[in-house]
Amino acid sequence: MAIVTSGVKTASALAAEPRSGWLAQWGRFAAGVTFASLPPVVVTRTKQVIYDSIGAITAGMAEPEMRALVARLEALDGVGEAQVIGGGAKLSASNAAFMGGIAGTMLEIDEGNQYARGHPGIHVVPAALIAAARLGASGEDLIAAVALGYEIGARIGIASKLVVTMHPHGTWGTVGAALAVAKLHKANAEAMVAAINVASSLGLTTSRKTMLEGATVRNSYAGFSNKLGLFAWEMVASGLTGERDGVATVYGTVAATDFHPDEMVADLGTRWEIARNYFKRHAACRYTHAALDALERILVEAGKVDPREVLGIEVETYVWAAQLDDPEPKSMLAAKFSLPFALATALVNGGATIAAFRDEARGDRLVTALAARVTVDEDPALTAMLPAARPARVTLRLADGRSFTALATTNKGDTEDPYSAEEVEAKFIEITVPIRGADKAKRIVAAANALGNGMDPQRLLALTATS
């Protein structure tokens, strides 16, 4: 039998195709990793990713939409046994994991990975923490699971090129969550591969336009990755099967193209992606950070600047940052994806803080007038520096004739210019103290840092509760 239509293969031909060698290697690697085998830098960075994610979730859970959604999920599915991270309610494990993912992306302050072009941590930590607490796992188990889940998700992001109209949230992060949960269930190599293959089919068809419009359904994408990651393991444990090489198909032909399987195993076990992550202090899309960093440098040189004396701000940057050119964002989320607004509100309000993107700031005529005087253009030379660098050149022109220009190639917080451990902790304290108080915030950080040294996930999760 034969098919003559170009690009279509018969089922028998597809079935005869060999499975990528990296899958078996990954299964063995994931099954064999132990806490003791993790390099010290990976252990330290994983703890930071865990409490940074908890901080982002805690701050996000205070938003009115999150409080309303928790109540509606409780009414829909009933009270469960899983503590909602950073909340007071208890829901089913899958609903609690969902809430963690969605709350953690509400305010655009969760960590990310520039090489993966996404945010692996928030797709993994909620599901892993809730599963670890449910299973009575140790702190060592949680750290190994998060590091592994982060690793597989980030490597898929590195190995493939998502369709440009897709948002990376809710895609390969589902595989990360599933592998972390599988590790907590002490899956063997074969079951690890099964979890990867099942989860690869469960990613969402996410639209990049949602973030540009400020549609907050976008925040749910990471929530669904956590929820579906839990489901993927339950499906595998129940005997359901996935495609033999699901990652290669989905991330080579469906949601993405140009899949490079060699990237999945390059320096596997020695180059850990969680140790190449970045943390965020600006409460906005990472694509705005280079310009915000450049503006900070200008203000150090220029001294105090009256926004009313700014004739204009010119931004030259890489393609994805240049896309964020809307000077009149219609929502808080849209404002976080607007370079003109981000620069204007940072100059007027003293920084790109959480409050600087809320309705009051968006309604400030001084901010909106300044945002209208910001121009954004792509510089192909800066685009060519992706993904290792995410650069921006900013020029500030003042009414008195002065002009200042600064170029930021490495964003503050990147692995090449990292925040210190004290700065990462300070961010957590800054965003959680208004909600939990200083004593509780410090106790959560201390508990996360004590994972692997007597602290267990059950007590850490309980500490995040509002009561």
Side-chain angles (χ1 to χ4, degrees), residues 143-156:
I143 290 170
V146 170
L148 271 174
Y150 193 109
E151 188 74 13
I152 188 72
R155 282 184 177 259
I156 296 171

Side-chain angles (χ1 to χ4, degrees), residues 6 46 71 106 115 125 127 199 223 250 261 307 340 382 454:
S6 176
T46 302
M106 280 292 292
Y115 303 99
V125 171
V250 173
L382 299 184

Side-chain angles (χ1 to χ4, degrees), residues 6 24 55 190 241 325 365 375 389 443:
S6 176
E190 183 180 352
T241 59
D325 70 339
R365 292 184 180 180
T375 61
R443 288 170 61 200

Side-chain angles (χ1 to χ4, degrees), residues 19 23 193-194 197-198 200-201 241-250:
R19 190 167 77 177
L23 266 171
V193 171
N197 281 331
V198 167
S200 67
S201 296
T241 59
E243 187 177 326
R244 288 185 306 116
D245 202 349
V247 170
T249 299
V250 173

Side-chain angles (χ1 to χ4, degrees), residues 122-464:
I122 202 61
H123 289 78
V124 172
V125 171
L129 178 55
I130 286 164
R134 180 169 174 254
L135 293 168
S138 68
E140 291 90 339
D141 293 335
L142 176 61
I143 290 170
V146 170
L148 271 174
Y150 193 109
E151 188 74 13
I152 188 72
R155 282 184 177 259
I156 296 171
I158 291 167
S160 61
K161 185 179 292 185
L162 281 177
V163 175
V164 295
T165 52
M166 285 194 74
H167 193 302
H169 282 33
T171 55
W172 41 257
T174 303
V175 183
L179 193 76
V181 174
K183 183 63 177 176
L184 287 165
H185 280 86
K186 305 187 184 305
N188 61 24
E190 183 180 352
M192 290 290 190
V193 171
I196 291 170
N197 281 331
V198 167
S200 67
S201 296
L202 300 180
L204 305 179
T205 53
T206 57
S207 168
R208 187 181 187 86
K209 196 176 178 183
T210 56
M211 73 177 191
L212 299 176
E213 290 186 358
T216 50
V217 65
R218 169 262 185 190
N219 295 326
S220 72
Y221 299 164
F224 280 112
S225 280
N226 284 277
K227 186 181 186 78
L228 292 171
L230 286 171
F231 281 176
W233 171 252
E234 298 303 328
M235 292 163 68
V236 169
S238 300
L240 278 76
T241 59
E243 187 177 326
R244 288 185 306 116
D245 202 349
V247 170
T249 299
V250 173
Y251 294 96
T253 65
V254 182
T257 57
D258 200 26
F259 181 67
H260 294 275
D262 54 305
E263 290 288 352
M264 297 302 299
V265 292
D267 300 318
L268 187 63
T270 57
R271 189 196 78 204
W272 286 84
E273 297 310 319
I274 202 165
R276 299 202 299 166
N277 80 325
Y278 63 76
F279 293 102
K280 297 172 69 173
R281 292 301 301 264
H282 304 307
C285 172
R286 187 65 170 179
Y287 299 162
T288 69
H289 285 214
L292 287 165
D293 288 347
L295 178 63
E296 285 186 354
R297 295 175 190 176
I298 287 173
L299 295 177
V300 169
E301 180 184 356
K304 186 174 178 61
V305 171
D306 185 340
R308 289 164 294 197
E309 296 301 312
V310 175
L311 292 181
I313 301 176
E314 300 160 13
V315 181
E316 298 169 285
T317 187
Y318 57 96
V319 58
W320 302 121
Q323 189 179 33
L324 311 183
D325 70 339
D326 184 3
E328 299 179 351
K330 303 300 188 293
S331 69
M332 180 176 72
L333 182 61
K336 293 172 180 290
F337 286 85
S338 164
L339 257 174
F341 184 88
L343 291 170
T345 197
L347 198 153
V348 172
N349 293 298
T353 62
I354 292 173
F357 293 89
R358 295 200 181 278
D359 291 348
E360 183 178 353
R362 288 191 301 105
D364 186 329
R365 292 184 180 180
L366 191 58
V367 174
T368 56
L370 180 55
R373 300 197 297 275
V374 178
T375 61
V376 182
D377 294 291
E378 179 190 359
D379 181 340
L382 299 184
T383 296
M385 296 173 71
L386 292 172
R390 291 181 175 181
R393 183 184 300 106
V394 174
T395 299
L396 176 74
R397 302 191 188 281
L398 299 175
D400 62 10
R402 291 184 298 160
S403 177
F404 302 88
T405 298
L407 172 67
T409 52
T410 300
N411 299 179
K412 183 63 178 173
D414 283 353
T415 296
E416 296 80 6
D417 187 15
Y419 290 118
S420 66
E422 292 76 17
E423 287 174 306
V424 177
E425 288 192 16
K427 172 203 169 179
F428 180 90
I429 300 299
E430 177 185 311
I431 65 177
T432 55
V433 163
I435 301 160
R436 289 290 178 273
D439 180 65
K440 190 71 169 288
K442 292 175 182 177
R443 288 170 61 200
I444 293 172
V445 170
N449 282 327
L451 289 169
N453 190 29
M455 175 57 62
D456 59 64
Q458 303 95 302
R459 284 185 287 164
L460 173 59
L461 180 58
L463 270 177
T464 75

